[in-house]
Amino acid sequence: MKLLNILLIASIAMSSAWAKEKFFVVERESESLATIYDGLKRTNIEGMHNMNHGVVKFDGKDGYVISRDGYVVKFDPISEKILAEYKTSKSAIGFVIGANYVAVANYDDKSVDILDRDLKPIDKIETNSKNVGIKIYTDYLIFSQMDNDIISVFKDMNAGKGNPNFKLHKEFKDVGELPFDAMIKDEKYIVGFFTSKFFGVVDLEKMEYKKVDVFLDENRQMVLKVPHFGFWSIGGDKIFVPAVGDNKVLVYDNDFKFVKNIQTQGLPVFTSLSPDKKYLAVTYSGKDFPTIQIVDTQTLEIIHTFNFDGKVLHVRWSETSPQLYVSVNDTNKIAVIHTEEWFLNREIFNVKKPSGIFLYEDGK
């Protein structure tokens, strides 16, 4: 028995030692994913369809990609083999992975598709609207109807057993003008709008909705719109929101009370929080596209600025080593910043027009 326990511990230790990060990088114009392993560009996975806004997600040992032209692709992140694909519409905008389903928010045919984990169709929810901000909370599937200014909450009547059976549970109407994305924080579904001067919060336990004003500076002037919620960062006791149209990152506490604005070099479009929540990486658009800045999340001050030889489209922090991976689109490379001593550590070349960087930990 003791020998068995020793062997089990040794096996776990070896598995942990061999577990390595693998980065999958969207090659924006090549319908492909590049893989980075052990710090080097290794392979390309072809046949991923239109990757202009490609998104990759992982659940267990399954990888999924959604393409701009409405394909969902399932692949094995270890063998890098495509396992299945299904076209939900002419244009899809987002997806989520449940324990026994994949749900896809469609733009073009104004529906939400429910597929099993092998991408076989189960149901199609017709909405007569572009659908955005799709999220999961317990047995609920939540999304926003852009054209109808509605937040829809569907409940799985099978409670996660077998294929899901989603039925409308609650709708919140007239929530704001043109909802465009959302995120989940605990039991809160947080949605942003293109034209309304606030964002909305649904408490999914109480099934109640409230509006939270967005302020631009210390005089509390309102912003006309908020950015894509994939560009927000939540961690520790703070929420960081890039302000569209001004050189600021807005800081809120966990109760959505305004804390401070951080003055930035340019117009921020993306924020990414380090795994230990100590630092925030901020990327920009316009003339400051090639720049990223690092914010200390305790002092809320900018402590480092890095400039590159092309547009920065995405960043990703390593979970296991002090490194920040930076997607430099124009010069076909991934730059790697050392995040303890804060210098450009190395560059990984031959990644074609890189944008999104997604992390999979091999061995888990």
Side-chain angles (χ1 to χ4, degrees):
M1 192 62 152
K2 287 183 178 179
L3 178 60
L4 182 62
N5 287 339
I6 291 170
L7 289 172
L8 180 60
I9 292 168
S11 173
I12 293 170
M14 286 179 66
S15 297
S16 176
W18 282 103
K20 294 179 180 178
E21 291 180 330
K22 181 185 282 191
F23 293 87
F24 291 82
V25 183
V26 168
E27 295 186 305
R28 195 177 177 96
E29 298 174 19
S30 304
E31 299 194 354
S32 61
L33 295 176
T35 66
I36 295 173
Y37 199 56
D38 275 346
L40 297 173
K41 159 77 183 294
R42 297 293 186 180
T43 57
N44 294 84
I45 308 176
E46 308 288 346
M48 291 294 181
H49 303 285
N50 186 334
M51 285 281 97
N52 263 297
H53 294 278
V55 176
V56 183
K57 293 184 180 182
F58 302 101
D59 189 79
K61 294 190 179 297
D62 294 334
Y64 296 90
V65 174
I66 188 170
S67 70
R68 184 64 179 177
D69 51 346
Y71 282 92
V72 187
V73 180
K74 180 181 180 180
F75 71 100
D76 184 326
I78 298 174
S79 70
E80 301 175 10
K81 302 294 185 185
I82 291 176
L83 304 176
E85 68 173 43
Y86 182 79
K87 186 174 176 64
T88 61
S89 66
K90 292 180 181 178
S91 177
I93 197 68
F95 74 111
V96 287
I97 308 168
N100 55 351
Y101 68 91
V102 176
V104 183
N106 296 312
Y107 239 48
D108 184 86
D109 74 345
K110 300 186 176 181
S111 69
V112 172
D113 274 275
I114 312 298
L115 315 173
D116 71 14
R117 289 286 294 257
D118 293 320
L119 306 185
K120 295 181 176 64
I122 296 172
D123 193 12
K124 183 181 274 284
I125 302 169
E126 304 285 352
T127 64
N128 194 34
S129 171
K130 299 181 182 72
N131 302 288
V132 294
I134 190 164
K135 301 296 173 186
I136 294 172
Y137 177 72
T138 64
D139 292 332
Y140 296 115
L141 181 69
I142 312 100
F143 57 88
S144 296
Q145 298 182 31
M146 179 183 283
D147 301 322
N148 298 330
D149 299 338
I150 289 174
I151 298 172
S152 298
V153 182
F154 281 74
K155 185 173 184 178
D156 178 10
M157 306 310 290
N158 292 339
K161 298 174 183 177
N163 284 340
N165 177 25
F166 284 109
K167 300 296 181 185
L168 183 62
H169 180 74
K170 181 141 188 174
E171 277 191 337
F172 298 90
K173 298 183 177 181
D174 299 319
V175 290
E177 294 179 0
L178 292 173
F180 68 98
D181 200 10
M183 63 184 185
I184 286 277
K185 181 187 182 300
D186 301 322
E187 75 282 3
K188 304 292 196 307
Y189 176 84
I190 308 160
V191 61
F193 305 94
F194 271 117
T195 52
S196 295
K197 300 175 183 177
F198 53 83
F199 56 88
V201 180
V202 177
D203 185 317
L204 294 165
E205 288 294 325
K206 299 176 181 177
M207 288 295 162
E208 296 175 352
Y209 177 76
K210 70 175 182 179
K211 299 174 181 178
V212 178
D213 290 332
V214 179
F215 298 107
L216 193 58
D217 57 26
E218 307 302 334
N219 296 322
R220 297 202 162 199
Q221 297 176 26
M222 293 185 186
V223 195
L224 292 179
K225 61 177 180 175
V226 291
H228 196 288
F229 274 35
F231 303 155
W232 289 38
S233 293
I234 294 183
D237 58 351
K238 297 182 183 73
I239 300 169
F240 299 91
V241 184
V244 168
D246 201 1
N247 297 357
K248 293 180 176 67
V249 171
L250 310 167
V251 186
Y252 293 83
D253 68 14
N254 282 330
D255 294 320
F256 301 102
K257 293 178 181 175
F258 179 77
V259 176
K260 181 184 177 180
N261 289 324
I262 302 170
Q263 188 75 33
T264 57
Q265 173 175 314
L267 301 174
V269 294
F270 183 86
T271 63
S272 179
L273 201 60
S274 65
D276 60 9
K277 311 294 190 291
K278 291 181 179 178
Y279 303 104
L280 186 79
V282 184
T283 71
Y284 300 101
S285 64
K287 66 181 180 61
D288 297 293
F289 235 140
T291 300
I292 69 169
Q293 291 188 292
I294 306 298
V295 174
D296 182 312
T297 60
Q298 293 305 306
T299 65
L300 300 179
E301 300 291 335
I302 292 172
I303 57 172
H304 297 288
T305 298
F306 295 89
N307 293 298
F308 300 91
D309 55 354
K311 295 189 294 291
V312 172
L313 294 190
H314 205 247
V315 296
R316 181 72 63 178
W317 300 83
S318 169
E319 295 282 344
T320 61
S321 61
Q323 298 181 108
L324 176 66
Y325 288 71
V326 180
S327 176
V328 188
N329 180 263
D330 298 315
T331 45
N332 301 309
K333 68 185 179 185
I334 302 296
V336 184
I337 295 171
H338 192 286
T339 59
E340 287 180 347
E341 299 180 24
W342 297 107
F343 64 91
L344 180 62
N345 191 20
R346 65 184 189 280
E347 296 175 317
I348 303 168
F349 294 99
N350 299 319
V351 183
K352 295 174 287 186
K353 297 294 182 183
S355 58
I357 307 172
F358 302 91
L359 175 60
Y360 176 77
E361 193 161 344
D362 192 358
K364 282 193 171 181

